[in-house]
Amino acid sequence: KQEVTQIPAALSVPEGENLVLNCSFTDSAIYNLQWFRQDPGKGLTSLLLIQSSQREQTSGRLNASLDKSSGRSTLYIAASQPGDSATYLCAVMDSSYKLIFGSGTRLLVRP
Amino acid sequence: DAGVIQSPRHEVTEMGQEVTLRCKPISGHNSLFWYRQTMMRGLELLIYFNNNVPIDDSGMPEDRFSAKMPNASFSTLKIQPSEPRDSAVYFCASSFPGQGASTDTQYFGPGTRLTVL
């Protein structure tokens, strides 16, 4: 059974810092890995999708990497801003096309 | 585009009552997903539809839960009878029929916060 783990559960950093969020999964048979952002009381917004054949994806200040063989992904946020404060969720699409989510990392960027 | 629309945004009901949650996917999307989010269990897929047909309902917790998609622009998730442990945020998401399921990004609605007293 696929399990997705995110570390740390919470992170607080001063504005301007570069930071890394970690995601690990137990079964490497995935179609893709996705990073989402969730603001309090809101739905999820897709940030990046990495297909299983890819190693990384970039969007603005965000860079996500995927190492399928080791079951790991990282989300790198450069020059963090208070507006980046949110919960970040990692999800893998398993062999039955279902998204399996991690429990998230709650990020606070202090001004 | 208005995005995925869910109603109601908040629902408070008493144990034993029937609850119906509604979802309108993004126009043109052919896959629709229902998720439940709780502090204890995180975000879990309950059921998903492709072209209005239920494909996988293995996440539906018990017979009290049922979902329908009568047409491409509307879906319901019904709980009858409701119990306090059903209290959660229920999300609906839809995806665009791209090059294949592995490339499809899911677009989430704002969720319905359900409280069963």
Side-chain angles (χ1 to χ4, degrees):
Chain A
K1 179 187 171 186
Q2 178 74 268
E3 292 184 2
V4 180
T5 303
Q6 291 188 244
I7 295 173
L11 183 63
S12 177
V13 300
E15 182 177 2
E17 265 200 16
N18 303 324
L19 58 99
V20 175
L21 307 182
N22 296 291
C23 173
S24 61
F25 48 96
T26 55
D27 187 347
S28 62
I30 64 170
Y31 282 111
N32 64 48
L33 183 143
Q34 302 181 42
W35 285 93
F36 291 86
R37 167 182 174 143
Q38 184 175 25
D39 293 283
K42 303 284 182 63
L44 280 67
T45 300
S46 179
L47 298 173
L48 291 164
L49 183 154
I50 312 176
Q51 294 186 56
S52 61
S53 59
Q54 297 176 324
R55 294 296 296 240
E56 66 176 348
Q57 282 287 333
T58 297
S59 176
R61 294 182 295 106
L62 305 180
N63 176 276
S65 68
L66 173 63
D67 184 341
K68 204 172 71 162
S69 60
S70 67
R72 295 180 187 278
S73 175
T74 61
L75 178 66
Y76 175 83
I77 303 177
S80 58
Q81 303 171 358
D84 295 330
S85 299
T87 296
Y88 291 81
L89 293 155
C90 167
V92 298
M93 180 172 283
D94 70 8
S95 55
S96 58
Y97 298 105
K98 293 193 290 190
L99 278 180
I100 310 299
F101 283 84
S103 54
T105 293
R106 195 168 57 253
L107 173 66
L108 174 65
V109 181
R110 308 186 303 272
Chain B
D1 196 322
V4 175
I5 299 173
Q6 291 187 247
S7 65
R9 292 294 311 276
H10 302 274
E11 176 81 27
V12 180
T13 190
E14 293 189 345
M15 183 174 63
Q17 296 296 306
E18 177 179 296
V19 175
T20 300
L21 312 181
R22 297 173 175 78
C23 176
K24 177 178 168 55
I26 293 173
S27 177
H29 286 194
N30 72 341
S31 293
L32 183 139
F33 308 81
W34 281 102
Y35 291 90
R36 178 172 68 176
Q37 186 175 40
T38 63
M39 289 293 292
M40 290 296 295
R41 300 175 66 90
L43 200 61
E44 303 173 287
L45 177 67
L46 300 177
I47 184 171
Y48 79 92
F49 296 83
N50 192 45
N51 293 322
N52 310 339
V53 176
I55 302 300
D56 189 329
D57 65 354
S58 59
M60 296 285 263
E62 24 189 301
D63 292 344
R64 297 184 297 107
F65 287 68
S66 62
K68 293 182 180 180
M69 192 165 185
N71 56 63
S73 60
F74 183 65
S75 177
T76 59
L77 177 68
K78 185 178 293 187
I79 308 173
Q80 167 63 19
S82 58
E83 297 182 2
R85 59 195 169 114
D86 302 330
S87 297
V89 181
Y90 291 82
F91 288 103
C92 175
S94 68
S95 66
F96 181 76
Q99 298 176 359
S102 66
T103 63
D104 294 345
T105 295
Q106 293 183 21
Y107 295 82
F108 280 71
T112 295
R113 182 173 295 276
L114 174 65
T115 302
V116 183
L117 303 175

